[in-house]
Amino acid sequence: MEHYDAQSADIVIIGSGMGGATSAWALAPTDARIVILEKGFQLPEQPENRDPKAIFQRGFFRPHELWYDEKGRGFNPGNYYYHGGNTKLYGCVLARYRAEDFDGLAHYDGDTPAWPFRYDEIAPWYDAAEQLYQVRGALGEDPTEPPHGTSYPHPAIPDEPPIGDVRARLAGAGLHPFSLPLGLDLEQWLKKAPTPWDTFPDARTGKMDAENCALLPALKYPNVSIRSGAEVVRLIVAPDGRKIAAVEYMQDGHTHRINAGTVILAAGAVRSASILLRSDTDGLANRSDTVGRHFMNHNLTALIGVSPRYRNDSVYQKSFGLNDFYLSDGYEGRPLGSIQLFGRVSGPILKANVPSVPEFILDFISRHSIDFFAMSEDLPNPNSRVRLDGSKIVLDWRRSNMTAHNLLVRRFKRVLKDIGFPFVFSRLLDRRLPSHQCGTIRIGDNPSKAPLDPYGRAFDHPNLFVADASTLVTSAAVNPSLTVAALALRTASEIKKSVLGIQDDVRNS
């Protein structure tokens, strides 16, 4: 695939995850010379892809790197480097932010700011992203679902019988379980092996991920190429201080530079911020002093409901969620967050988290349990940030909004007990591991408060765009992948018009 070897390009895209691959797909038909720089390689077909012990116990796919917390303690981050980025292991949930998320919301521990545009502006791009990523879903089940211009491309992934039983119990309790919008060809996935897909890597066997839906189609164009194993070090500014002249990267132990007409930075919220911080003494595109700031993770708690009378023989499990507490606590109070099924949590997966318990006991628990996670919004805070300590990436995350999250966990524990699961176990996920990382190079309408304009263009450098989750103003309480894809399509449309002189119509994108 690495068939174009020029040392200059019209467009250089840094990263091939959801933002980078989607940008490449949208721009490929323009005939612009596009080079994608990707730190990782294509994920090979191998037995470990469907082996829960390899994935969860041995950490076979974990990156060989350390980031550091605010106290200088190193940790191995949940950040993956492959063609397709983190989407190679994602849970395939492709949900829209709620319309209210773009207006700003009042939470128990603070307020979120409004975006520089409302939901109506991004809605057509959500429609386009759902078509590109072949989302399976069902409209009309979730009362919080914002308006759609088109139906989902495919019907929802069906519940397996024991999961359908729990959905019915929740509906009987007055809640509104809805089919998760999922980017997955279930028949193709299960044909390879009967496993869950959540956190299982996909070597092109059914996931509608950034590689399968966007990157591979883009690479069919002769003007698009990818350089694997290319870790970007910094961006080089032209002598006038305005434009980005080149991108410097390491490959095979050597330093390379590629001249760039336009740069699209899409390396992820932590790495994109670190690249800008490394590119200039005070950080590139950092007049606002906000590059690396406002880092957000979701607050996530795993909940396992156990009942000796319940038999769970499902394979994948992850087919529905709940947003009954998304916009309020159910008593006209403030937002709490969302609830989703985990992918099927088997004994080997549980063993990775409780190694002292014999696996046969964990297998028994798994057969009589159902697994959810509670997700609450993390509020933007300028002191929650990515920074550099020499060559080290420091992630100083200031967890927020725990009042709402703790309420959500308590409420749903009560719900699970009420519908027949007398034993409910919960665990707050590790604060050091990036989970839906976002917000470090956010968009805005004021260059003194944000690095990027509403289209993702750097205020200080007109040929620099950012197209990953770092641009998100708020984290909301849903998975960010579809929003990243929608924003990347919108940014690519702006590049077509303002850089390439091509009139674009979202309806034809």
Side-chain angles (χ1 to χ4, degrees):
M1 290 181 182
E2 301 179 7
H3 53 275
Y4 185 79
D5 194 34
Q7 291 306 308
S8 65
D10 297 318
I11 300 172
V12 174
I13 299 175
I14 301 169
S16 68
M18 185 60 89
T22 302
S23 300
W25 176 87
L27 294 166
T30 66
D31 292 329
R33 294 173 300 160
I34 300 170
V35 174
I36 303 163
L37 301 177
E38 168 54 51
K39 184 176 186 292
F41 296 84
Q42 187 177 61
L43 180 74
E45 179 62 69
Q46 55 197 337
E48 289 84 359
N49 293 353
R50 298 296 185 96
D51 181 353
K53 290 185 178 181
I55 298 166
F56 297 95
Q57 294 182 22
R58 302 204 306 270
F60 183 85
F61 296 96
R62 303 290 295 193
H64 299 294
E65 68 175 347
L66 290 178
W67 294 351
Y68 295 83
D69 66 15
E70 68 280 5
K71 295 183 179 178
R73 297 171 299 195
F75 64 95
N76 182 226
N79 212 53
Y80 301 96
Y81 305 106
Y82 297 104
H83 290 192
N86 285 325
T87 68
K88 298 309 295 179
L89 288 92
Y90 81 151
C92 298
V93 176
L94 293 167
R96 301 183 182 210
Y97 275 24
R98 310 296 92 173
E100 293 84 350
D101 287 317
F102 292 89
D103 301 327
L105 288 168
H107 293 265
Y108 285 107
D109 295 338
D111 300 339
T112 55
W115 284 56
F117 49 79
R118 302 283 78 77
Y119 173 78
D120 288 349
E121 165 64 25
I122 196 175
W125 302 107
Y126 273 135
D127 293 338
E130 286 170 350
Q131 299 298 315
L132 174 60
Y133 284 92
Q134 295 295 298
V135 180
R136 278 74 171 160
L139 296 177
E141 296 179 348
D142 177 7
T144 72
E145 181 81 17
H148 286 230
T150 58
S151 299
Y152 286 115
H154 300 280
I157 298 289
D159 294 333
E160 296 157 288
I163 308 308
D165 170 43
V166 176
R167 185 198 286 240
R169 295 190 203 186
L170 290 166
L175 299 176
H176 300 83
F178 67 94
S179 301
L180 286 170
L182 294 165
L184 183 87
D185 183 331
L186 180 63
E187 182 178 357
Q188 185 180 353
W189 178 264
L190 295 179
K191 185 187 297 184
K192 181 66 181 178
T195 70
W197 60 79
D198 195 358
T199 319
F200 281 67
D202 179 41
R204 298 154 297 284
T205 56
K207 279 190 181 183
M208 301 295 105
D209 60 30
E211 181 192 23
N212 294 330
C213 291
L215 181 62
L216 290 176
L219 289 171
K220 291 180 180 179
Y221 287 81
N223 55 304
V224 182
S225 67
I226 186 167
R227 299 184 184 179
S228 303
E231 181 174 0
V232 171
V233 178
R234 63 190 180 109
L235 308 183
I236 299 169
V237 181
D240 65 6
R242 287 284 292 158
K243 299 187 73 176
I244 306 302
V247 178
E248 184 176 287
Y249 64 97
M250 296 293 297
Q251 187 181 43
D252 298 326
H254 300 286
T255 300
H256 302 269
R257 286 188 180 182
I258 180 169
N259 298 323
T262 296
V263 175
I264 301 175
L265 181 56
V270 173
R271 281 206 161 265
S272 286
S274 69
I275 288 169
L276 293 185
L277 292 171
R278 194 178 293 117
S279 299
D280 188 84
T281 304
D282 298 316
L284 201 64
N286 200 24
R287 181 186 356 161
S288 61
D289 189 32
T290 58
V291 169
R293 297 186 183 273
H294 305 104
F295 174 82
M296 293 171 284
N297 255 358
H298 280 132
N299 296 314
L300 295 174
T301 290
L303 295 125
I304 299 180
V306 182
S307 170
R309 296 184 176 184
Y310 177 70
R311 177 79 178 190
N312 189 350
D313 57 3
S314 67
V315 173
Y316 53 83
Q317 183 171 266
K318 192 180 183 74
S319 55
F320 74 79
L322 291 163
N323 279 335
D324 292 79
F325 312 114
Y326 194 100
L327 296 175
S328 82
D329 61 5
Y331 300 104
E332 299 185 356
R334 297 190 174 184
L336 300 185
S338 63
I339 301 289
Q340 289 179 18
L341 282 164
F342 260 129
R344 184 76 175 94
V345 177
S346 61
I349 295 174
L350 288 172
K351 182 72 172 177
N353 294 285
V354 281
S356 61
V357 180
E359 196 164 307
F360 75 90
I361 295 177
L362 298 175
D363 283 331
F364 176 84
I365 292 172
S366 173
R367 288 194 299 271
H368 296 278
S369 68
I370 190 162
D371 320 289
F372 291 90
F373 65 89
M375 182 191 308
S376 299
E377 181 159 11
D378 187 20
L379 310 182
N381 174 353
N383 295 318
S384 184
R385 62 188 299 195
V386 176
R387 56 184 174 83
L388 298 178
D389 180 5
S391 62
K392 296 178 181 178
I393 293 176
V394 178
L395 185 56
D396 185 357
W397 178 34
R398 310 294 176 91
R399 190 192 284 275
S400 70
N401 204 28
M402 286 303 293
T403 299
H405 188 64
N406 290 333
L407 282 170
L408 178 62
V409 171
R410 289 201 297 270
R411 289 292 304 277
F412 197 62
K413 279 185 175 181
R414 183 71 265 165
V415 167
L416 287 175
K417 291 179 178 180
D418 288 345
I419 64 169
F421 293 90
F423 309 104
V424 182
F425 304 96
S426 64
R427 180 176 180 177
L428 181 67
L429 299 194
D430 194 329
R431 70 179 302 274
R432 297 175 300 166
L433 304 184
S435 193
H436 303 160
Q437 55 186 266
C438 62
T440 57
I441 317 171
R442 61 182 183 172
I443 59 174
D445 50 19
N446 186 338
S448 68
K449 296 182 178 179
L452 308 175
D453 75 10
Y455 290 97
R457 186 198 305 261
F459 284 115
D460 296 344
H461 309 288
N463 71 330
L464 171 62
F465 293 80
V466 183
D468 59 24
S470 62
T471 69
L472 302 183
V473 177
T474 58
S475 63
V478 297
N479 312 59
S481 295
L482 189 73
T483 300
V484 173
L487 288 171
L489 290 173
R490 184 172 178 271
T491 295
S493 178
E494 175 63 20
I495 291 172
K496 289 179 189 178
K497 287 184 281 191
S498 66
V499 177
L500 303 176
I502 300 170
Q503 290 304 308
D504 193 29
D505 187 338
V506 63
R507 293 167 294 183
N508 298 323
S509 296

